[in-house]
Amino acid sequence: MEKGEFVVESENMQLEDPWFTGMDTEETEMRESNCEIQGFALEKGEASNVVFSREAPLVSKESKMSGSCSCSLKKLKSSVAAKESELCQKEKSEHGKKLSRQDRIELGQLFQGAVSSHDWELAESLIFLADPQTLNDALCVTLDAIWFLSSQQELYGITGLIKKIVGNGAYDFTRAAMRTSFLASCVSACQSRTMSLADTVTVMAQRLHERLQECHGDEVLKAEAGAKVQKFTEWALKCIGSHSRCQGNNDRVNHCSAIEIQLQLAAFKAFLDIAGNQLTGKDFTEAFDAACFPLTLFSSSFDAGWASGISATVIQGLLDMLVEGGADNVNQCFLEASRFGSTELVRILLQIAQRNSLDVDVDLALGFASHYCKIGTMECLVEEGNAMAFLGPLMRAAERGCMQVVQWFVKRGCRDMELCLALTAATSSSQVDAAAYLLPHVPQHVLAALSIEIIKAAGERSGGSLAGVAFLLHSDFLGDAAATYAVADSIARSDDEAVAPELKAYLQDHWSEAAFFDGLKQGQEHYMNLMRILKRGESPICLRDLPAPLRVAIAYMPLYRECVEVGGRILSQRLRGQLVEAVRMLGGWPLEEGNQGSELLAILEHHLPPFLVQAPSVG
C-alpha cells in the first residue's frame, strides 16, 4: 500500500445493529486494484491486518433497553456466567482456545455490554475467555470507547483494560490505531454540527458522491469504493449515536469539555505507550490518513473557524501525536484537503505543520484549490499559509474561463505581468468573457510593449479557434485604432516562422492593410453590380421607383448587419474597407482617412429606414 493511501476493505459487513460493531481480524493477502479514489485506494480481498475488515455486531438487541445504552448488569453478569461455563466446557473437550465465529460474536456482545456499562471488572473477566482474534476485536472496541470518556475514573478503567487485553495476547495495533483514528475524526466533525445524526448520514453520503464524481477511474470500482467508505462512515455515526444516547443526548452529538478532551487524548497516548514499537512509521502514516479522510466528507458543513474551536481540539491532538509517532504524509493530506475544499482541515494541517516544523506546499495547494474553484480554501492558503504563487493558478483559470477564480485573483492583487499572461491565456483559449474582464486591468504601457507577442502567443496556442484574437483586435486592445491595426498588419506581413500559419492567414485576410484595400475593391464591385441591376434588371418591381432609404437597405443591409453583429470598438480592415466604400458611394458626407467603424456606421444608418436600424455596438 502506497504512503498516504486510506485503504477501505470489506465484503461481509453487518451494520444492521445500531450499536457500533467490532471487526474480525482474519488475515488474508491484500490484492491491490487499479482504482485510487483521491485519498483512499480500493483493495480487493476480505480482510487485512492493516485495514478495516469485516464487521460483526457486538451488541445484541436484548442488551438494549428502551433506546438507552444502559443494560441490566444483573442480566449481563448472568449471561457472562453462562458463557464462561459454556466456553470452559468447550475448551476441556477440544483442548484449544480457538473460538467459533458464533462464540466470538456472543463473547464480543458481552464484552461490549461490560465496556458500555463501565464494568471494568466484568470486562476483564471476559478477556481470559477470548482467543487472539477476539482479543484483537476487544482491543478495537475498548480503544473506540476512549473518545467518549468523561471522568478520571473512566480513564483509569479503560487504560487498565487496554493493558490487560494486550497482556493477554492482542497484537493488531495497526488496525486498532487506524479504526480509532477514523472514529475520532468523525466524533470531532460531528461535534461541529447542529443537525441530527440521521441528517448527518445523508449529508455525508451526498458529499462522498460528489467527491467520487470529481475523481477519474472505472465507474464500477468507484461505486464499490464509495459503498464501502459509506458503510464505514455509517458505522462510525452509529457508534457516535449510541454513545450520545448513553450521555442523554438523543440523536445529538455531545460536546466535550476541555477536561474531557484532555482525558480522551491521555487515553490515546496511553495506548501508544502500551503499543510501543509495535506501531511503525507506516502505521502512523495510515492512521493519519484515516483521521483526515472523514473531515473531507464533513468539511462543507463546518462553520468558519471550526478548526480554532474546542470541537477540533481532539483531532488536532490526535494528529499531533500521530506526527510525533512518525506519520510522514502531512503534505499529501494537506494537498488533498486543498483539492476538495476542506478548508478547516487545511487550517488544522497548517497549524500542525507549523508546530512540528514541517514543510507543506502551500503554492501547489493553491493550484489545486483554484483548479476546483474552492474559494474559501484559497483564502485560507493565502491569508494563513502565505501562498504567493498566483501566476500558474490565474493562467489556468483564465484558460478554462473560470470567472470566479479569475476575479478572485485580480481582486487579491496581481502583478502587471501576471495579468498580461492571464489575458494571453484567456485569448488563446477563446475565453472571451475572461479576456474581457482582464483587459481593463492590464496597464496600457504593458500592452503596448508586448502587443505583438500577445497576439503571436495567443495564435500559437489557439488550438484552431481565433475567437480570442478577434476579440482583442475588435476591442482595440491598445486603445488606439491605428496602433492596433499596425500591430495586426505587422504580424500579417512578418516572415517570422514562429507565427502560427492559421493566425497569419487570418490577419492577412481580415486585419492587414491589404485586407482594407481588398474591402474597398469589394465595395466598388458591389456598387457596380447594383448599378447594373438598376439599369438592366428585368424584375417587374422597378427599384428606381422605391424610396431611397429602401434602395439603400436593399444594397447595404447585409453589410450593416455584419458590422453590427461583430461588435467591439473597431471593425476588421476588410469590413472597414467595404463600409468606407459604401459611405463614399452614398455621398454627401466628408470622409477622412482615419474614419473608424462608429463614424462610418452612423453615416450608413442615416440613409437606412429607421425601423431597420439597430443600436450599434461598434465604437
Side-chain angles (χ1 to χ4, degrees), residues 474 485 552 556-572 575-584 586 589-592 594-610 612-619:
H474 282 299
Y485 286 136
V552 173
Y556 293 112
M557 199 63 198
L559 174 63
Y560 172 74
R561 285 176 176 167
E562 185 177 359
C563 292
V564 171
E565 288 172 1
V566 162
R569 297 183 60 188
I570 62 175
L571 297 171
S572 69
L575 276 180
R576 178 168 165 265
Q578 294 179 40
L579 195 55
V580 165
E581 189 61 28
V583 170
R584 179 183 292 122
L586 291 173
W589 292 83
L591 277 178
E592 299 178 6
N595 279 129
Q596 302 305 328
S598 57
E599 296 94 336
L600 296 171
L601 270 183
I603 297 172
L604 181 55
E605 285 174 353
H606 180 78
H607 290 83
L608 292 171
L612 293 177
V613 173
Q614 304 176 35
S617 56
V618 174

Side-chain angles (χ1 to χ4, degrees), residues 433-474:
D433 289 342
Y437 177 79
L438 288 163
L439 181 57
H441 292 89
V442 183
Q444 280 297 320
H445 71 275
V446 174
L447 291 173
L450 299 173
S451 56
I452 292 178
E453 297 305 319
I454 291 172
I455 298 297
K456 285 168 60 177
E460 181 182 354
R461 305 170 191 165
S462 65
S465 172
L466 295 171
V469 172
F471 165 77
L472 275 190
L473 296 174
H474 282 299

Side-chain angles (χ1 to χ4, degrees), residues 404-610:
Q404 189 178 7
V405 172
V406 170
Q407 291 170 352
W408 185 87
F409 275 115
V410 171
K411 290 174 182 176
R412 292 291 307 189
C414 297
R415 293 188 288 269
D416 292 346
M417 278 305 301
E418 290 174 335
L419 293 169
C420 183
L421 290 171
L423 174 63
T424 304
T427 303
S428 65
S429 301
S430 298
Q431 298 292 347
V432 173
D433 289 342
Y437 177 79
L438 288 163
L439 181 57
H441 292 89
V442 183
Q444 280 297 320
H445 71 275
V446 174
L447 291 173
L450 299 173
S451 56
I452 292 178
E453 297 305 319
I454 291 172
I455 298 297
K456 285 168 60 177
E460 181 182 354
R461 305 170 191 165
S462 65
S465 172
L466 295 171
V469 172
F471 165 77
L472 275 190
L473 296 174
H474 282 299
S475 298
D476 187 16
F477 74 113
L478 294 179
D480 179 350
T484 299
Y485 286 136
V487 165
D489 185 64
S490 173
I491 299 173
R493 292 185 291 105
S494 173
D495 294 328
D496 187 354
E497 295 181 356
V499 178
E502 298 84 355
L503 173 65
K504 189 171 183 178
Y506 170 73
L507 295 177
Q508 288 174 341
D509 289 345
H510 298 279
W511 290 91
S512 64
E513 187 175 353
F516 174 74
F517 290 111
D518 284 344
L520 288 176
K521 184 178 179 180
Q522 288 176 0
Q524 293 167 2
E525 291 175 352
H526 178 68
Y527 181 76
M528 291 301 298
N529 287 334
L530 287 172
M531 291 300 100
R532 291 189 184 102
I533 292 172
L534 287 174
K535 293 178 179 179
R536 306 175 187 175
E538 297 180 356
S539 170
I541 301 176
C542 186
L543 296 183
R544 288 182 178 275
D545 296 336
L546 294 176
L550 287 180
R551 293 201 303 270
V552 173
I554 291 172
Y556 293 112
M557 199 63 198
L559 174 63
Y560 172 74
R561 285 176 176 167
E562 185 177 359
C563 292
V564 171
E565 288 172 1
V566 162
R569 297 183 60 188
I570 62 175
L571 297 171
S572 69
Q573 287 282 46
R574 181 174 295 278
L575 276 180
R576 178 168 165 265
Q578 294 179 40
L579 195 55
V580 165
E581 189 61 28
V583 170
R584 179 183 292 122
M585 292 301 103
L586 291 173
W589 292 83
L591 277 178
E592 299 178 6
E593 185 176 344
N595 279 129
Q596 302 305 328
S598 57
E599 296 94 336
L600 296 171
L601 270 183
I603 297 172
L604 181 55
E605 285 174 353
H606 180 78
H607 290 83
L608 292 171

Side-chain angles (χ1 to χ4, degrees), residues 21-27 47-55 132-141 143-144 171-182 271 279 283 286-287:
T21 59
M23 300 181 186
D24 296 337
T25 56
E26 295 178 21
E27 297 182 9
S48 167
N49 62 332
V50 295
V51 296
F52 296 124
S53 56
R54 295 196 307 274
E55 299 187 357
Q133 185 169 334
T134 309
L135 286 170
N136 286 331
D137 292 341
L139 177 60
C140 287
V141 170
L143 197 57
D144 291 344
Y171 58 85
D172 198 349
F173 299 102
T174 298
R175 180 167 65 98
M178 282 189 65
R179 167 174 153 151
T180 202
S181 298
F182 183 89
F271 161 72
L279 285 171
D283 295 331
E286 291 171 347

Side-chain angles (χ1 to χ4, degrees), residues 99-267:
L99 304 179
S100 68
R101 178 176 175 80
Q102 185 59 36
D103 285 337
R104 286 198 304 272
I105 292 175
E106 292 176 3
L107 187 60
Q109 292 171 348
L110 296 172
F111 183 81
Q112 173 66 74
V115 172
S116 298
S117 60
H118 298 162
D119 190 331
W120 313 118
E121 182 180 352
L122 183 60
E124 288 178 8
S125 71
L126 294 170
I127 293 172
F128 301 106
L129 303 176
D131 63 359
Q133 185 169 334
T134 309
L135 286 170
N136 286 331
D137 292 341
L139 177 60
C140 287
V141 170
T142 306
L143 197 57
D144 291 344
I146 69 176
W147 307 115
F148 307 96
L149 294 178
S150 59
S151 70
Q152 190 76 40
Q153 184 178 2
E154 292 174 8
L155 171 63
Y156 292 148
I158 211 160
T159 52
L161 186 58
I162 292 173
K163 290 177 182 177
K164 286 281 179 64
I165 294 170
V166 173
N168 278 271
Y171 58 85
D172 198 349
F173 299 102
T174 298
R175 180 167 65 98
M178 282 189 65
R179 167 174 153 151
T180 202
S181 298
F182 183 89
L183 177 62
S185 181
C186 291
V187 171
S188 187
C190 287
Q191 286 179 343
S192 73
R193 303 179 56 79
T194 57
M195 66 178 65
S196 68
L197 285 169
D199 293 334
T200 300
V201 172
T202 303
V203 171
M204 174 276 302
Q206 179 182 356
R207 183 66 182 108
L208 176 61
H209 175 74
E210 293 170 356
R211 176 164 180 170
L212 289 170
Q213 290 301 111
E214 294 171 352
C215 302
H216 301 289
D218 184 88
E219 293 299 322
V220 174
L221 292 177
K222 283 166 60 175
E224 291 176 356
K228 292 178 181 181
V229 173
Q230 183 168 342
K231 285 181 179 179
F232 281 113
T233 309
E234 288 175 352
W235 157 79
L237 294 176
K238 288 176 181 178
C239 174
I240 295 167
S242 68
H243 280 278
S244 296
R245 287 189 291 275
C246 286
Q247 297 166 342
N249 295 282
N250 188 27
D251 203 27
R252 297 281 174 177
V253 182
N254 189 39
H255 289 258
C256 296
S257 66
I259 295 176
E260 290 171 335
I261 290 172
Q262 291 305 314
L263 292 173
Q264 294 161 10
L265 293 174

